[in-house]
Structure formats: C-alpha cells, structure tokens
Amino acid sequence: MTDLRAPEYDATAGDPGDSGPAARRPVRAGGSFRLIFLAPAIALIALLAWVLASPVGASPDDDFHLVSTWCALGDRPGLCEPGDTAGERTVPASLVSGAKCYVGKPTVSAECQERALASTATVSSDRGNFRNSYPPVYYAVMGAFASPNIVGSILVMRVLNVLIFIGMGTALYALLSPSRRRTLLWMWLISTVPLGLFIIASNNPSSWTITGLGGAWLALLGYFESGGRRRVLFALLFIVSVFLAAGSRGDGAIYIVIAIGAVLVLTARRARAYWISAILPAAMAVVGLAFYFTTTTGAIASTGLNDGNPDVVVHDAMTVFVRNLAQAPSLWAGAFGTWPLGWFDTEMPAIVTLGATGCAFALVFVNLASMNRRKLLVLIGVGFVLYALPVFVLQRSLNVVGTQVQPRYLLPLLILFLGVAMLQVGRREISLTRLQRVVIMATLAVAQAVALYYNIRRYTVGDTATGWRLSGEGSWWWSTAVTPTAVVLIGSVAYALLVFVLVREAALVRPRRDDGASGDRPREIANAL
C-alpha cells in the first residue's frame, strides 16, 4: 500500500519540494525537539476559542441535547425530576427555553438569555432522549458533569469534547506510520473549517461522531498494518472510537459499519491470520448495528423524516427526486460554511466558504494521483453513500434538500471520504511545493479567523452591528476577563500556528522501510493491493 523503500525525512533535510542533496538527507537518530510536539497544546488553545465562541444553547437542537444530558443518569434533585407525564421530565427552564430569545434571530445578541440563565425556575418538558431517539453513551458521560451551575457545566462539557478530539488525534499520530500520519493531518485540516470546529467544541453529540469516525477508520487501518504492542494499542483506540461514534448518534453507528467495510476493502488479503484479525472489526460492526437498531433512528430508513416544514414539502415524488439529485451536493458544501452555523442563523462570508472548499478540493485532486483499484472502489462507495443517503431519506418523506437533513449529519462520512482520498497507496509519493503549502496554510488560517470572528460577532452584538466591534451596550459575553476580541485574536493566531506546524509536518514525513509496522505484514498488504 505504501512505498516501503524510501527514507523518512526530517525538518533539517531541506524543503521537500526542492531537489538536490539537501532535500534527500535521511533522518538522523536521536530525540531532538520537533515543532509537532507543540501541536496538541496549540490545538487546545485554538479550539478553546471555539468553546467560548458561542453562548449556551447555540448548537442545533441544544434544548433537546442539554435536557437529555441533565436527565441521562436518572432523576436527580435540582437537575432532573419526574415531569407532568410519563414522557416528560422537570428540568431547569433555561435548558429548554433560554436560547429561544436569540435562536433564528441573527440581529439579536445572546445577552437576552441572561435573565433566564440566572433563574431557578423549572419546567416539565418532553424535549429529551426519553424515547431512545439517540444512543445513551454520550449523554451518560456528559451527564456526570451536569450541575445546578448550568453555564459552568456546559463549558466543562465542551472542553471535555475538545480534549477527547485532541487526545484521539495525538494518540493516533504517536502510533501511525509516517505516511499514515500525513493522512491524519491532512484529513483534519481540510475537513473541519468551519462546521467541524464549531461542532467539536459544542455540546452536540455530533462532536463525538466526528471524532469517533475520523479516529476509527485510521485506528483500524493501523491495526491491520501493524503488529505487536502497537497493534494492541490500535485495537484499543479503535474500540474507543467505535463507542464514541456509535454511542453518540444512530447514524454514527451506521457510519462505523461503513468505515469498517472501507478499511476491509483497503487491506483484505488471502491469509488465515488476516481473517482472524478481522474478528475484532466484525464484532465492533455488530456493536454499531446494535446501537443503531436500539434507537428510533432505525425507523428513518422505512418512514423518512416525517416532521418536515409543510411550506416546503413537495408532494410530487418525481419532482422531489430530481430536485434532490441536483441539490444533494450542497449538503457536502455545507461543511465548509455554505450553510449557516448554529441554528442556521450565523452566515459565513464567501472568503470562508470559498477558501475551505478550495483547499479540500485542491488536496483531493492532487492526491488522486496516488490511486489503486481498492482506493478507487472505496472512494466510489463512500461517495455514493454521501450522495444517495440524503436523497433516499428525503424521498421517503417527500422533503427537499434544505429541510431535515443537515450538513452535520453527513460531515463524519465526508471526513471518511476526505481521509481515504488523502491515503497514499502504491509507490507513487505525493508532495506539494513550498508555494502550494504556503497558499494552503494562508487560506485555511484566514478562513478560520474570519469564521471565528463572524461566529462571535453574531452572538455578542448581532450580525447587523456596524464596524468591527464585538462589545458595547446590549452585547453578550461570558463572565470572564478575556474579551471577545482577545478570543478572536488568540484563537486566530493559535490556529494559524497550528496549520503551519501540521502542514510542515505533513510535508516532511516520508515512508520508510518499516513504514506501517513491524515485520512483513505491511509488505503483504502492499502486495495484495
């Protein structure tokens, strides 16, 4: 699958896009400090900016998810108590209605919810995971951090989601072979601006779905390409990733099965040892299916989404089908900001959407040069699901693109597609010139900075405020000494530095003779491909 004969290069070896002896110097042994060691800390700073970038209740369906979290561990005095009916629970009123004053009203700042957050009023609500709509794992873990201090609890949960994402990425980087590290870095860089960053740092269970699916397929790939203790560690990461994705959303459970299938296609070989190894992914696929069929998500395949907006439902089946075929790709582009963030009330400017989409398209196009039949088959298969799944679900209930199915539902699957596209196969090595890397770095850094600014601006002063200010009379912000302007500046600088470090690292790593693992297992897989 990879070129096992080329040496790995390091930061002292000259520019990978250059030629000559300096560019061909092999890695020296030793434990010298490398910039990549700072990446987790830099990523934490950048994502903490996104943690603070939105108020309580700002992510889609937060009223449902927050109530589900507060009630995940059963009845607890002051947090979740029996409601007026068997299908309701009594919870702090601010969880249900605190954000309603600004949701869908982009000109209104989040300051309007301060009174609701300060209130101790409770309300009986059916807005929660009381009918097994979602798997219970995410809510149960986050429920352990629920407290009467709603703002503090929500921030802790967001930080925990960020730490899980960074921890998964760091663990994978430490274990993966050099060429697979490049795949990991590029996958996350080109798939998370801006929607991924917003969701990962939110209270939405899709945060775990994104982290879990992105980690699961690479952990499983490393599992098949490695041996010994590393293989055991990859297996543990894979299991954790499956529970993150399948335990957070029903569709995440199905995506896990798709990811497992993709890796099996990429690595399958005619050997008894391989099929014994495949028992683990087969078992975890069963776990994913169990999560899926024990939630009401499983009914969507047969009934569709029946709660669409009657003003936009088209009742002619052929009209719906043709329209959705033409519009389905807009759901993929929504991950890059063509759909507004939050409750679809935070518009992203063109510099964000064009920049993020352009970087993803450019990297996929370049990496298509590294191709074999298996990779092509996986890309076609995942791409088909990306296209067919929303069309099928919308067709069942005669809804059209723009209603019900949202880009965040498909983002984990899009991450899988982009990750496989970044996968190096065969012996052809893909690299970017220095100029190409600079353009990618600058574009992503600017797109993220503008997205962060516009997201914060929408909630602090409203999107019709004049000038560049992020504070003033009637504005919203957390009770902290760090100003919104400081968060934008710090988050933007941190992300720009992170992009520099990751792109530099992705350019420097090269396959080596033992790339993939110990022993001859990688060579056997390579020969099979």
Side-chain angles (χ1 to χ4, degrees):
M1 183 178 295
T2 57
D3 184 350
L4 305 178
R5 300 174 297 178
E8 183 183 4
Y9 300 135
D10 69 351
T12 65
D15 190 280
D18 298 337
S19 59
R24 303 294 302 175
R25 196 182 314 154
V27 170
R28 298 174 180 174
S32 58
F33 176 80
R34 294 163 55 199
L35 281 177
I36 192 64
F37 298 158
L38 297 176
I42 300 171
L44 178 60
I45 295 172
L47 283 168
L48 285 178
W50 281 94
V51 165
L52 296 174
S54 304
V56 172
S59 65
D61 300 319
D62 251 359
D63 56 339
F64 180 96
H65 299 308
L66 293 178
V67 170
S68 301
T69 298
W70 256 249
C71 293
L73 300 181
D75 294 343
R76 292 185 286 176
L79 301 180
C80 181
E81 301 179 27
D84 295 341
T85 68
E88 296 184 357
R89 300 291 186 275
T90 298
V91 295
S94 56
L95 296 178
V96 179
S97 58
K100 286 185 178 180
C101 64
Y102 69 80
V103 166
K105 305 169 185 175
T107 62
V108 178
S109 78
E111 190 274 338
C112 65
Q113 73 168 344
E114 293 301 319
R115 180 177 298 179
L117 290 174
S119 172
T120 59
T122 60
V123 64
S124 180
S125 174
D126 64 352
R127 285 285 289 171
N129 193 39
F130 308 140
R131 300 175 182 84
N132 296 322
S133 301
Y134 284 73
V137 180
Y138 174 85
Y139 296 131
V141 173
M142 292 298 152
F145 301 93
S147 75
N149 182 355
I150 292 174
V151 173
S153 299
I154 282 174
L155 288 176
V156 168
M157 294 172 196
R158 291 182 182 181
V159 172
L160 178 59
N161 284 342
V162 165
L163 291 175
I164 290 172
F165 173 77
I166 295 174
M168 179 62 67
T170 302
L172 282 171
Y173 182 87
L175 291 173
L176 287 168
S177 61
S179 67
R180 301 301 181 239
R181 290 175 177 176
R182 180 192 296 178
T183 300
L184 172 75
L185 300 179
W186 280 125
M187 177 184 73
W188 288 126
L189 279 172
I190 65 174
S191 66
T192 53
V193 178
L195 180 60
L197 295 174
F198 177 87
I199 294 295
I200 289 168
S202 74
N203 297 101
N204 198 292
S206 292
S207 174
W208 278 23
T209 316
I210 291 170
T211 300
L213 193 77
W217 82 274
L218 276 173
L220 184 58
L221 185 64
Y223 167 80
F224 279 121
E225 293 182 341
S226 65
R229 184 168 54 183
R230 284 178 62 213
R231 196 173 202 212
V232 174
L233 294 175
F234 272 125
L236 292 175
L237 277 180
F238 172 62
I239 293 171
V240 171
S241 297
V242 168
F243 277 92
L244 286 174
S248 56
R249 289 186 58 92
D251 50 10
I254 290 298
Y255 295 162
I256 281 294
V257 176
I258 295 172
I260 290 172
V263 175
L264 290 176
V265 170
L266 289 169
T267 61
R269 55 193 175 93
R270 296 186 184 93
R272 181 172 179 270
Y274 177 87
W275 294 111
I276 292 175
S277 300
I279 293 174
L280 173 64
M284 298 315 295
V286 172
V287 170
L289 291 174
F291 274 116
Y292 177 76
F293 286 112
T294 54
T295 66
T296 57
T297 306
I300 292 177
S302 59
T303 63
L305 295 162
N306 294 317
D307 55 344
N309 185 342
D311 295 330
V312 293
V313 171
V314 180
H315 294 287
D316 179 72
M318 183 55 66
T319 300
V320 170
F321 181 69
V322 172
R323 181 170 174 178
N324 287 338
L325 278 180
Q327 293 295 328
S330 72
L331 292 165
W332 318 335
F336 306 113
T338 59
W339 284 47
L341 300 184
W343 291 74
F344 308 114
D345 55 7
T346 306
E347 296 279 352
M348 290 288 104
I351 194 172
V352 175
T353 60
L354 182 61
T357 306
C359 288
F361 181 85
L363 266 296
V364 168
F365 186 78
V366 168
N367 279 272
L368 288 179
S370 178
M371 185 63 66
N372 61 18
R373 285 177 293 180
R374 296 193 182 204
K375 178 178 173 180
L376 179 60
L377 181 61
V378 171
L379 287 177
I380 292 174
V382 176
F384 174 78
V385 176
L386 271 170
Y387 208 115
L389 181 61
V391 173
F392 173 77
V393 171
L394 290 169
Q395 187 71 25
R396 296 295 298 176
S397 48
L398 294 182
N399 279 288
V400 295
V401 172
T403 63
Q404 302 307 303
V405 178
Q406 303 173 18
R408 66 185 171 96
Y409 301 165
L410 297 177
L411 178 56
L413 202 57
L414 180 63
I415 290 171
L416 173 62
F417 179 87
L418 294 175
V420 173
M422 296 298 104
L423 197 65
Q424 181 177 312
V425 296
R427 286 179 165 78
R428 176 164 184 172
E429 184 181 325
I430 302 299
S431 62
L432 302 177
T433 67
R434 180 185 287 119
L435 177 60
Q436 288 173 323
R437 297 197 303 275
V438 168
V439 171
I440 292 289
M441 288 188 288
T443 302
L444 286 175
V446 170
Q448 190 276 163
V450 174
L452 180 62
Y453 169 80
Y454 269 77
N455 192 78
I456 291 179
R457 180 173 179 264
R458 179 262 175 273
Y459 297 112
T460 53
V461 295
D463 67 3
T464 58
T466 58
W468 294 92
R469 69 181 181 89
L470 295 174
S471 59
E473 185 178 354
S475 63
W476 162 82
W477 191 240
W478 306 99
S479 298
T480 175
V482 182
T483 66
T485 300
V487 169
V488 171
L489 293 175
I490 294 172
S492 299
V493 171
Y495 187 82
L497 182 58
L498 178 66
V499 170
F500 169 76
V501 171
L502 298 188
V503 171
R504 181 178 184 272
E505 183 70 11
L508 293 174
V509 293
R510 289 293 188 273
R512 57 190 181 191
R513 286 186 177 87
D514 63 345
D515 194 1
S518 59
D520 62 353
R521 191 182 314 277
R523 186 176 298 278
E524 292 174 3
I525 294 176
N527 292 337
L529 297 179

